[in-house]
Amino acid sequence: MSFVYRPTEAQPRLIHDDDQILVVDKPEGLLSVPGRGEDRADCLIARLRVAFPTVLLVHRLDLDTSGVMVFALTPHAQRHLSRQFETRGVRKSYVARVWGRVEGRTGTVDQPLMVDWPNRPRQMIHPEGRPAQTDWRVIRADDGPQFIKSSTASPAALAPSGPLTARTSPGRAPPSETGG
């Protein structure tokens, strides 16, 4: 079965805008940038471009990840913001809701990732994938879902934890593959 993109109808929430940057809350279920094909054209940057024609990408969040994103409105701002992400000057924190029981209170997932081509943009754990590490800790556990948090300086999108690698994280694979 291949991946079918059904973008959310939820709209991004504007948190801040000035003459240099936009800060928005991206809803889950929406690509940050267009995917390949007309069926994947609806994305956050396209929706923002309606009101902010000069919007420029600085970083991404995965399709299934909601959260704060920063966009530039000028090439100068894009260069400076991108440099901060590249040099890990931006600290990111991720929280994931996980059903079932997670063994232990903290841990590291160290599994290689690659694109799951039939289900792109999904990732999967694969022995020939790129090295990827994620540290995690449980921040709340009760009879319902557990909440797992990570906080790192690495510029990668993930859940259920924080990436140690720069571009990919085992948290981008389904929790069943990562032992979650």
Side-chain angles (χ1 to χ4, degrees):
M1 177 171 62
S2 64
F3 171 75
V4 176
Y5 179 48
R6 292 185 180 91
T8 181
E9 292 183 18
Q11 293 299 312
R13 185 175 59 88
L14 185 62
I15 296 171
H16 171 84
D17 71 296
D18 59 36
D19 61 339
Q20 297 291 312
I21 68 169
L22 292 177
V23 180
V24 299
D25 186 4
K26 176 191 141 345
E28 67 179 299
L30 185 65
L31 291 168
S32 296
V33 296
R36 292 185 185 194
E38 276 301 307
D39 62 324
R40 297 179 188 186
D42 184 8
C43 64
L44 180 58
I45 199 163
R47 291 182 184 188
L48 293 173
R49 199 160 274 136
V50 172
F52 302 94
T54 64
V55 68
L56 299 165
L57 185 69
V58 174
H59 67 104
R60 301 174 192 201
L61 286 180
D62 287 346
L63 168 69
D64 294 325
T65 302
S66 63
V68 176
M69 288 187 66
V70 179
F71 290 87
L73 292 174
T74 67
H76 175 77
Q78 184 185 37
R79 276 191 305 278
H80 286 277
L81 289 166
S82 294
R83 189 172 306 120
Q84 291 176 50
F85 278 85
E86 289 167 13
T87 61
R88 299 183 182 188
V90 175
R91 175 160 242 149
K92 290 184 173 185
S93 178
Y94 300 90
V95 176
R97 185 173 46 191
V98 179
W99 280 263
R101 291 290 122 211
V102 176
E103 294 297 321
R105 300 292 295 168
T106 63
T108 299
V109 177
D110 188 356
Q111 298 283 342
L113 282 184
M114 72 179 344
V115 173
D116 182 356
W117 288 106
N119 297 301
R120 187 181 173 122
R122 306 259 191 246
Q123 299 274 323
M124 68 179 180
I125 292 173
H126 193 280
E128 295 177 19
R130 295 173 58 188
Q133 293 180 324
T134 298
D135 283 337
W136 58 269
R137 69 181 171 91
V138 175
I139 57 172
R140 189 176 99 199
D142 53 30
D143 291 338
Q146 292 185 336
F147 290 83
I148 298 175
K149 181 178 183 175
S150 74
S151 180
T152 75
S154 179
L158 66 109
S161 50
L164 298 177
T165 52
R167 287 191 173 84
T168 57
S169 160
R172 294 175 72 176
S176 59
E177 291 191 28
T178 61

